[in-house]
Amino acid sequence: MKRKILSLITAAAVAMPLMAGCSVLDDITESELSETPATREYDTALSMSVKKSDGKMEITRSEKKNTPMGEKDSWTIFVYMCGSNLESDDGSATDDLQQMLKAKSSDNVRFVVQTGGANEWMNDIVSADQTERYLVQNGEIEFVNSTDQADMGYEKTLKEFLTWGVSTYPAEKMGVILWNHGCGSINGVCADELFEKDTLSLSEIYNAFACTYSKMTDQFEFVGFDACLMSTVETANILASFSRYMVASQEAEPGNGWDYTAIGNFLADNPEKSGADLGRCIADSFYEECKLTDESDSATMAVTDLQKIDEFLVEFNDFSNGLFKASLDSTQLSLISRQIVNAENFGGNNRAEGYTNMVDIGGIMNGCSQIANPEKALAALDKCVVYKKTGKDHKNASGLSIYYPLEVMGSEELATFSAIAVNPYYLSLVDLIANGYSTKEYDNSVFFAYSDSWRNVDCECLNLSTSYFKYADEKEEGNSELISFSSKPGMDEDNYFSFTLDDQGLLYASDVTAFVYLEYNDKVMLLGENYDIYADWENGSFSDNFDGYWLALPNGQALPTYVVDITEDYIIYTCPVYLNGTRTNLRIRQDDEGAQIEGAWDGISEDSIAAKGIRKLKNGDKIEVIYYLDDDTEEKAEAYEWKEDDGLTYAFLPEDDYYYSFCIEDVYGDYYITDPVVFSIDEKGTISFTDLTEE
């Protein structure tokens, strides 16, 4: 949770009118660029370039190999099983090994598994002290070999497994599954808890596959991610040189993950089928498993035809070019940012749970369709994503996400993105937004540093160092100067707390929520965030719609809620708690039928790792609600023991004096906290508001 909102409760928020304009780049030195990629064990597998003169993209990939390496209708699926806490805490990897063993017997189908990355394995076969390899076939598991513990988040470990695997167990069709936590495009996949949660970055995955592919005569049939958040265009781009299909989820995966019995059965019955056919089986069976645990609403799974990704990348480059040109007008930039922020995103992306910065690429193009024409890019995207399965929470998801700085997390993240960016214009737009507002003219020539061209060679796009993006580490947020008013926040004639944005404020505002605070032991305690406001975005008028009721546990304990997502049909809140002594978050859905706890989700860790799955509450669970205080500390409420038939209530806040402020987000990710008003609740339940500025 970012405590920024608390420290500003008593600060005067002054809005300064500014001239419209765009951000400026610092000069960059030659030492900050690396024209020649590091020494490789393979010939160049991917080369992307865009000339500044015409803006057109050219893509060259290594030869598409098509000579099968094994007997007809044979399948080998290599499972890179980095157990992590998914195994040591819950035995999830063991469950999936058991599912493989339950699959139909077939001499044509085998799973080849490498295990590692977990402190403990919940079976009597796999050792946590070594990195081991197993063959699973015909209902039996056979130990093959082992090495000393190896970091599963290290490029070399993956490369050695794949090169050994395709040499030892070649087949007509071969697939690879990366099993573990997923972190999206920036932080990759496979967090090894034995090696400080090191993960495989996209660049490392690319290098490992490129080395392996140089020794193969055929492409992999598919690469899949039994992990969260990995169905991204950046991931698809790095795999397209080596594989025909990608199977992955845009959203965080529930803890049950994929159904390996269904996968084995499908291939035993249909060994002649393609990676696309298998991908449909994976998506459908995954969704059915999610239904069994009541987690299907948020489920996503997509099958991407990587043979068609280049057509999309070319069209998306043209769309991004048009979008970037429009963004140089500050009015258009505001509209662009607002549309992207309102597009579907995945993995939480809120102050309480953390940020993945993964946004639906189709949602971006559709939202910005009045600014740049996405028709050809959307058509190409539709050809790429050949199948998808989504729950009702993501019914409009396109199948692929892309990085966008909903919250700028620092120079390292932006530098990582610059190395995997799929075109210079979208990279420029990200840089422009992340840099923040400025009246100075923006210049993206740094991205065209090689003979007036942008290049991405072997997953190294200019290799910009973090020093170029140092502005992200130096930004100070709060009291955004872009938020200005024609009617300042205060009590209106009808005794509502309200304000009206002027033309500038309305241009730059992207969202408005309300915060409620309570004085507690000479400190200020945040009760939470809500959308109980009247909002007229056309005229820029906003006012409170607060009635004194608050979401609460059955005993009346108010829940500190923070907004995760809002649609026409529902609002998703998160609430920080200790559950049976362990820090986590309650996910709460509010809709026309009321509010209910969906379960507990651990969110995004400090290592940027997305937790898998929402855990249902059980009878006897002990819930200790966490409130944030203005001195950067926390207050833990008395434990409540959850009962099986419990539900949430809307409790009227107890008699006391409370503070109420609006939080106005701007399109650059900054925010403005209004000076608070006080509302008092007396013993009769009457609410009265007082404007502090009038005292």
Side-chain angles (χ1 to χ4, degrees):
M1 168 68 178
K2 298 183 74 175
R3 309 314 184 348
K4 60 188 182 185
I5 46 181
L6 292 166
S7 62
L8 294 173
I9 182 171
T10 58
V14 181
M16 298 292 292
L18 297 178
M19 296 178 60
C22 302
S23 58
V24 64
L25 300 176
D26 294 332
D27 291 336
I28 186 168
T29 65
E30 291 296 325
S31 63
E32 290 179 290
L33 298 176
S34 175
E35 184 166 358
T36 305
T39 303
R40 304 293 189 192
E41 299 178 40
Y42 50 85
D43 294 331
T44 296
L46 169 64
S47 177
M48 308 174 73
S49 64
V50 176
K51 292 182 179 179
K52 194 171 186 178
S53 58
D54 62 11
K56 298 300 180 182
M57 172 172 281
E58 294 183 359
I59 303 175
T60 303
R61 296 188 186 272
S62 54
E63 176 190 0
K64 295 289 186 182
K65 302 175 182 179
N66 293 289
T67 302
M69 298 179 66
E71 296 181 2
K72 182 175 174 56
D73 292 341
S74 61
W75 273 90
T76 301
I77 297 180
F78 301 102
V79 184
Y80 191 72
M81 187 172 275
C82 180
S84 72
N85 66 319
L86 296 173
E87 173 61 19
S88 57
D89 290 346
D90 301 317
S92 297
T94 293
D95 290 343
D96 285 349
L97 288 171
Q98 291 174 337
Q99 286 185 340
M100 296 176 201
L101 288 167
K102 292 177 182 178
K104 290 181 180 180
S105 294
S106 172
D107 291 337
N108 289 343
V109 181
R110 57 196 170 198
F111 295 95
V112 177
V113 184
Q114 176 161 305
T115 60
N119 288 322
E120 182 181 3
W121 287 78
M122 301 299 183
N123 60 66
D124 297 328
I125 299 174
V126 180
S127 170
D129 298 327
Q130 294 180 309
T131 299
E132 300 181 329
R133 292 168 180 164
Y134 293 88
L135 171 65
V136 183
Q137 188 174 27
N138 293 326
E140 296 183 352
I141 183 167
E142 175 187 344
F143 173 80
V144 178
N145 62 42
S146 65
T147 65
D148 293 338
Q149 280 183 353
D151 181 359
M152 297 284 277
Y154 181 37
E155 170 189 320
K156 182 181 178 183
T157 310
L158 175 61
K159 180 192 71 174
E160 290 179 346
F161 171 58
L162 294 179
T163 53
W164 166 82
V166 299
S167 174
T168 309
Y169 297 101
E172 181 191 20
K173 299 185 182 74
M174 295 181 288
V176 179
I177 298 174
L178 299 177
W179 190 106
N180 185 245
H181 289 291
C183 314
S185 295
I186 300 301
N187 293 294
V189 70
C190 292
D192 190 319
E193 69 176 354
L194 300 174
F195 289 85
E196 299 180 342
K197 297 183 181 178
D198 184 27
T199 60
L200 287 166
S201 68
L202 292 194
S203 297
E204 288 180 298
I205 294 171
Y206 174 88
N207 292 339
F209 273 90
C211 290
T212 303
Y213 188 67
S214 66
K215 302 172 180 65
M216 297 171 65
T217 63
D218 197 8
Q219 294 174 272
F220 288 105
E221 186 66 15
F222 80 96
V223 176
F225 294 86
D226 191 354
C228 302
L229 303 165
M230 296 308 295
S231 190
T232 77
V233 68
E234 294 93 352
T235 309
N237 182 42
I238 65 129
L239 293 175
S241 298
F242 322 115
S243 178
R244 294 184 176 92
Y245 299 95
M246 179 179 78
V247 185
S249 171
Q250 289 181 272
E251 186 54 279
E253 278 194 1
N256 53 275
W258 292 10
D259 184 343
Y260 289 87
T261 302
I263 293 170
N265 289 346
F266 178 84
L267 292 179
D269 293 337
N270 307 280
E272 77 284 356
K273 294 294 187 179
S274 69
D277 298 320
L278 177 59
R280 292 182 178 90
C281 167
I282 292 170
D284 290 342
S285 58
F286 167 76
Y287 187 75
E288 290 303 312
E289 283 217 332
C290 292
K291 287 170 64 176
L292 294 176
T293 57
D294 295 324
E295 295 178 273
S296 59
D297 286 353
S298 62
T300 64
M301 192 63 64
V303 183
T304 301
D305 186 343
L306 299 178
Q307 300 167 99
K308 298 176 181 176
I309 196 70
D310 286 353
E311 178 184 349
F312 169 70
L313 293 172
V314 168
E315 297 297 346
F316 184 65
N317 174 74
D318 291 346
F319 168 79
S320 300
N321 191 356
L323 202 64
F324 172 67
K325 288 178 179 177
S327 73
L328 297 178
D329 178 297
S330 59
T331 300
Q332 295 290 78
L333 177 61
S334 174
L335 296 174
I336 291 167
S337 177
R338 186 178 295 113
Q339 291 300 324
I340 296 177
V341 168
N342 289 332
E344 287 198 62
N345 61 75
F346 307 93
N349 294 307
N350 60 82
R351 297 183 182 95
E353 295 173 333
Y355 290 83
T356 66
N357 288 327
M358 292 289 102
V359 180
D360 188 76
I361 197 168
I364 291 175
M365 291 189 290
N366 279 310
C368 298
S369 60
Q370 301 302 311
I371 301 167
N373 187 352
E375 185 176 341
K376 291 183 178 179
L378 285 170
L381 177 63
D382 190 55
K383 291 180 183 178
C384 284
V385 180
V386 294
Y387 190 73
K388 59 185 176 181
K389 194 79 174 182
T390 59
K392 65 180 183 180
D393 287 357
H394 294 302
K395 58 187 177 182
N396 296 319
S398 68
L400 289 174
S401 306
I402 194 169
Y403 172 80
Y404 179 84
L406 296 168
E407 179 77 6
V408 179
M409 305 302 291
S411 59
E412 186 173 348
E413 177 172 293
L414 292 170
T416 298
F417 173 67
S418 74
I420 58 174
V422 296
N423 71 61
Y425 303 111
Y426 187 77
L427 173 58
S428 299
L429 181 65
V430 165
D431 184 48
L432 177 58
I433 293 288
N435 219 304
Y437 182 85
S438 172
T439 58
K440 298 180 180 179
E441 184 177 352
Y442 177 83
D443 180 9
N444 72 339
S445 59
V446 65
F447 300 131
F448 294 86
Y450 303 134
S451 302
D452 289 330
S453 294
W454 169 87
R455 299 195 314 176
N456 186 329
V457 179
D458 284 334
C459 203
E460 291 202 11
C461 171
L462 297 180
N463 196 27
L464 286 169
S465 70
T466 55
S467 62
Y468 170 75
F469 298 102
K470 62 182 181 294
Y471 64 78
D473 302 323
E474 299 168 350
K475 289 181 67 174
E476 293 185 4
E477 294 183 339
N479 289 346
S480 169
E481 294 181 326
L482 299 177
I483 304 303
S484 51
F485 307 91
S486 61
S487 177
K488 292 183 178 181
M491 303 305 299
D492 63 22
E493 58 185 15
D494 296 318
N495 204 36
Y496 285 97
F497 183 34
S498 65
F499 66 87
T500 303
L501 296 169
D502 62 15
D503 289 343
Q504 175 186 288
L506 188 56
L507 173 64
Y508 288 111
S510 62
D511 196 17
V512 179
T513 58
F515 290 97
V516 175
Y517 314 84
L518 173 68
E519 287 193 23
Y520 177 83
N521 290 341
D522 298 323
K523 299 176 184 177
V524 176
M525 182 168 70
L526 179 59
L527 286 185
E529 174 186 28
N530 65 58
Y531 266 108
D532 290 337
I533 57 177
Y534 292 111
D536 181 351
W537 281 97
E538 184 175 346
N539 297 310
S541 299
F542 301 83
S543 63
D544 79 84
N545 184 29
F546 189 64
D547 59 4
Y549 284 90
W550 201 265
L551 279 173
L553 292 171
N555 65 349
Q557 179 69 55
L559 293 172
T561 53
Y562 303 94
V563 176
V564 174
D565 189 23
I566 181 169
T567 72
E568 294 179 354
D569 302 319
Y570 61 82
I571 300 177
I572 302 294
Y573 290 104
T574 187
C575 172
V577 299
Y578 282 95
L579 182 63
N580 301 321
T582 301
R583 180 68 177 260
T584 186
N585 308 281
L586 298 181
R587 275 292 183 96
I588 300 168
R589 178 185 293 266
Q590 183 181 29
D591 53 30
D592 291 339
E593 297 180 0
Q596 55 278 336
I597 296 176
E598 296 188 317
W601 187 56
D602 294 342
I604 312 301
S605 72
E606 293 181 357
D607 306 289
S608 301
I609 297 169
K612 252 192 172 185
I614 294 177
R615 305 186 302 280
K616 298 295 181 182
L617 294 184
K618 303 186 299 296
N619 190 49
D621 279 346
K622 290 182 171 55
I623 300 171
E624 297 171 283
V625 172
I626 299 169
Y627 299 98
Y628 299 118
L629 305 178
D630 63 348
D631 62 353
D632 229 16
T633 61
E634 299 174 349
E635 179 69 18
K636 187 167 58 174
E638 184 177 346
Y640 174 81
E641 186 171 315
W642 186 259
K643 300 176 182 60
E644 191 171 356
D645 57 352
D646 273 349
L648 297 182
T649 64
Y650 292 99
F652 200 77
L653 291 175
E655 178 184 357
D656 215 324
D657 293 334
Y658 300 84
Y659 295 108
Y660 185 103
S661 293
F662 291 109
C663 178
I664 309 168
E665 302 276 351
D666 76 23
V667 296
Y668 290 97
D670 202 354
Y671 61 94
Y672 181 103
I673 303 290
T674 66
D675 285 341
V677 294
V678 171
F679 68 89
S680 301
I681 299 179
D682 62 21
E683 70 278 1
K684 297 179 180 179
T686 302
I687 300 178
S688 58
F689 279 83
T690 303
D691 191 341
L692 294 177
T693 62
E694 295 179 354
E695 295 183 351

